[in-house]
Amino acid sequence: RKRARVTSTHKPPKSMRAFVDVCLATTTAFHHFCPFPRGGVAGKSRRRVSLRRVDPRHDHHTLHPFVGETFGDDDDDEATRRVEIMIEAIVASARLAREVDDEKNGAKDRESGMATRRKEDDSLVTVADFAIQRLVSDTLHGALGEFLVGEETCPTEGEVFDRVEELVAKYAPREEKTNEKTRKDSMRRDSSKKNYFVLDPIDGTKAFAKPLVQSKAGRFTFTEQYCIGLSYHDGKDGTVLASCLAAPRWERGTGVLLVAVKGKGCFSKELFTAAKGEDVSKSRWKRSCLLSHLCTIRVAISESDVGKQTTLNAGWKVPESSLEEIAYGSGSLIKYVAIAVNACDAFVHYKPWTHSMNVWDHAAGVLCCEEAGAIVTDGVGNKLSLRKESKGAEEDDNEGNRDDLRRVFSPEGKAVVVANDESLHKEILRAHNAAVELINDFSAGLGR
C-alpha cells in the first residue's frame, strides 16, 4: 500500500524578528496546555486554558481576550463589561495624553505649556493628569457606578479647568459621558459599594513633562517612558481582580496596552498604529509568556539610580552571571510593563525612608506581571498585600480611614521585589537583603 505524501506548507521565517515571534507562539501554546503549575510555583492548581482566536475584524474596544470566560462568583456579563469599560477608558486616556504630549513637544517651555504644577510632596502634576483622572472617573461612574480612588484632585476653575473640560469632552467614550448631576449622584452611591478602582493617571510625570529627545531611528529613550494604570480591587482585602496598563511611548511611539484578569492571564497588544490616517491599533491580543535569561540579567532601575550603587548590584554575587541595568524613567508601573513584555527580567523598589507606598504606583502592574508568570513579593519574600493593616473596627467605620486603606500599603522590608522566574527571584531577594543588612550594620556602627 502506498504511503501518502505529506507536503508541508510552512514557510521559513524571513527575519530574526519573525523567528522570535514563531518561538514565542510555540512557547505560549505549550504554556496553555502544559500540565505543570504555571510559573513553576509549588502549590498552584493545575488547569488547562482553552485557546481562543480573536477575530481581527473586531476592534479591541468591543472584543477583549476575556470574552466568553467565566468569572466564578462574579456575574460573567458584568465582569466582561467591566473589563471592556476599563480598556475603553485607558485607550481614551492614552490618546488624550498623546495629544498633550505632541502639542507641547515643540514649545520652548514644555512644562509651562503642560500647565505643570508642584504638589505638596514637590512632585509634578500636569493638565494631562487632571484630564485623565476626570475622563476615567466619568467613564466608570457613567457605565458602572463604582468608586474610583485617584491620585490627583482636579482644579474647579481657571485655565487648567477649562483645558481639562475641553480634553475630556473630546476623548471620553460617547456613551459614557456624564453630566455634573449624574456624577454627584454616582459619588453618593459610592459608600455602599464594596469593590473599587484605583487609578494612576500618569505614572512617570517627570519623564512625561520633560523635553523629548529622539534618536535618528525615531525611538524614544527608556528614560522618557510613562504609564497610565487602572486596577479593580476586592473591597474586603484589596486584592487586584483586574487591571489595564498603557505605555503610549513604548516601541517608537506605537505604545503597548496590557490587560489582566486574576486567574485568567495577561494579554498585550500594540496601542497605536504606525499607519497614516489611523489612530488606535487593530492588532491582535497576545498572551504574555515570560522567558528567563541565564547569563545577563536585565534589571530595571529608576533614572535617578543611574551610576549609583543600589542594594541589588551591591549584593549580587552569582558566579558567571552579571546585571545589566536599564533606566526606565522615574515611575514604577513602566518597570512592570517591561517585565510583562519580556523587555526586562527583574527590579527592586526599595524605600527605606518610609513605611508606606502608594497603591496606584504598583497595583495594575502587580497583576499583569503575576498573570504573565512573574513572582512579586515584599522585601522578605512574602506574597505582596496591597492593603494597609487595619487599626480597628471603629476607625474602619470612618470613611476617611477606609479611603486611606485603599490608597497606601506597607510591604514588609519596605520593598517590592519582582522577577520573571522563581529561581531568579530567590537570587534577587538574597542579594537585596544581603546589601540591606550591610547598610544597617554600617548605620548601627555610626550610631555607637
Side-chain angles (χ1 to χ4, degrees), residues 207-208 210-214 220-226 249 329:
F208 177 71
K210 74 178 184 180
L212 300 180
V213 180
Q214 290 180 303
F220 291 101
T221 62
F222 287 121
T223 57
E224 294 171 336
Q225 300 293 330
Y226 68 92
R249 288 181 183 168

Side-chain angles (χ1 to χ4, degrees), residues 39-87:
V41 181
K44 284 194 173 183
S45 60
R46 301 179 180 184
R47 59 189 176 91
R48 291 179 182 271
V49 181
S50 60
L51 289 171
R52 299 184 310 282
R53 289 188 177 275
V54 178
D55 190 339
R57 294 173 298 178
H58 289 81
D59 185 79
H60 64 275
H61 287 288
T62 57
L63 186 60
H64 55 75
F66 303 106
V67 171
E69 286 277 14
T70 56
F71 291 85
D73 297 334
D74 203 353
D75 179 78
D76 294 341
D77 292 337
E78 181 182 351
T80 299
R81 175 61 174 161
R82 184 182 297 112
V83 174
E84 180 183 332
I85 293 298
M86 290 175 68
I87 295 174

